[in-house]
């Protein structure tokens, strides 16, 4: 077997082991060596399916062996463990320098463990439909904690921190805070300036 291909698969095996150990009890991670489809499983970490090292390739593995143009990533597709538990799976094909599939890294998330948690959280945050359209009261008191939360949420939605936001994003945020009434507090401008890493004068300039 090609030495470069062996090296690729050894490196992929490190990734499989690390990923599996990061999500114990939740996510099975399997590395398939597609060069030997009858004994494809090279590594299986956090075993949830009952398969073993040396077991054969799955249908996806065989499809990649037969077609180099088969999609390299199949993301978040529904699956099922042998005992019937539902799973969410992702399969990543690994090609060598010649463009041939030599391996596949597969992640199988046991969603049966998460479904009850999701249901419980949905029930916890649900509100009465009778008053859903028009809130009966506001619990907002414009304190520093809420202001910080609004600013940090705005930044997180843009994959940033408040201080790393672009000038345009900071200006838009300041104007939003002004519209929402956060400038009513005497110290709001300085608090916003501190969060965004700008001067108080800049905050007033953005608010114009």
């Amino acid at each position: 077997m090609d030495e470069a291909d062996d090296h690729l698969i050894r490196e992929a095996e490190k990734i499989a082991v690390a990923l599996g150990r990061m999500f114990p009890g939740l996510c099975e991670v399997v590395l398939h060596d597609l060069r030997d489809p009858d004994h494809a499983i090279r590594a299986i970490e956090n075993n949830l399916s009952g398969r073993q090292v040396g077991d054969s390739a799955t249908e996806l593995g065989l499809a990649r062996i037969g077609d180099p143009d088969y999609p390299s990533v199949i993301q978040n597709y529904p699956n099922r463990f042998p005992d019937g538990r539902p799973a969410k799976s992702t399969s990543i094909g690994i090609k060598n320098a010649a463009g041939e599939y030599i391996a596949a890294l597969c992640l199988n998330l046991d969603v049966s463990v998460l479904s009850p948690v999701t249901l419980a959280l949905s029930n916890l945050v649900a509100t009465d439909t009778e008053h859903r359209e028009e809130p009966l009261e506001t619990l907002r008191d414009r304190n520093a904690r809420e202001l910080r939360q609004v600013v940090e949420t705005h930044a997180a939605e843009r994959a940033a921190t408040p201080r790393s936001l672009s000038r345009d994003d900071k200006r838009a945020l300041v104007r939003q805070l002004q519209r929402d009434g956060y400038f009513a507090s005497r110290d709001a401008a300085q608090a916003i300036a501190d969060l965004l890493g700008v001067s108080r004068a800049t905050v007033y300039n953005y608010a114009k």
Side-chain angles (χ1 to χ4, degrees), residues 20-40:
R21 292 180 181 177
M22 188 172 179
F23 303 104
L26 286 177
C27 188
E28 174 185 82
V29 185
V30 187
L31 177 65
H32 298 267
D33 184 343
L34 299 182
R35 300 172 301 176
D36 185 8
D38 291 334
H39 307 91

Side-chain angles (χ1 to χ4, degrees), residues 10 16 30 34 49 81 84 100 104 110 122 157 160 171 186-187 204:
R10 285 195 300 271
V30 187
L34 299 182
S49 64
F81 290 110
E100 303 164 329
D110 184 357
S122 296
E157 289 172 350
R171 181 180 289 107
R186 183 183 61 183
D187 301 323
Y204 284 122

Side-chain angles (χ1 to χ4, degrees), residues 154 158 165-174:
H154 181 93
R158 289 154 181 78
L165 286 168
S166 69
R167 180 182 301 175
D168 288 343
D169 281 336
K170 288 179 180 179
R171 181 180 289 107
L173 173 57
V174 169

Side-chain angles (χ1 to χ4, degrees), residues 121-137:
L121 289 175
S122 296
N123 289 334
L124 183 64
V125 301
T127 55
D128 193 329
T129 56
E130 182 181 352
H131 303 294
R132 184 168 293 169
E133 296 302 319
E134 189 172 331
L136 300 181
E137 62 178 345

Side-chain angles (χ1 to χ4, degrees), residues 10-88:
R10 285 195 300 271
E11 292 299 300
E13 188 169 355
K14 295 178 188 177
I15 297 171
V17 171
L19 284 174
R21 292 180 181 177
M22 188 172 179
F23 303 104
L26 286 177
C27 188
E28 174 185 82
V29 185
V30 187
L31 177 65
H32 298 267
D33 184 343
L34 299 182
R35 300 172 301 176
D36 185 8
D38 291 334
H39 307 91
I41 294 184
R42 170 74 174 254
I44 183 165
E45 191 68 30
N46 198 25
N47 193 332
L48 299 174
S49 64
R51 291 174 293 172
Q52 302 296 327
V53 170
D55 282 356
S56 61
T58 64
E59 294 86 348
L60 276 180
L62 296 176
R64 287 195 172 107
I65 293 170
D67 181 8
D69 294 326
Y70 196 84
S72 58
V73 177
I74 308 294
Q75 188 95 44
N76 295 334
Y77 60 91
N79 210 338
R80 196 164 291 277
F81 290 110
D83 62 4
R85 282 173 299 159
K88 182 171 79 169

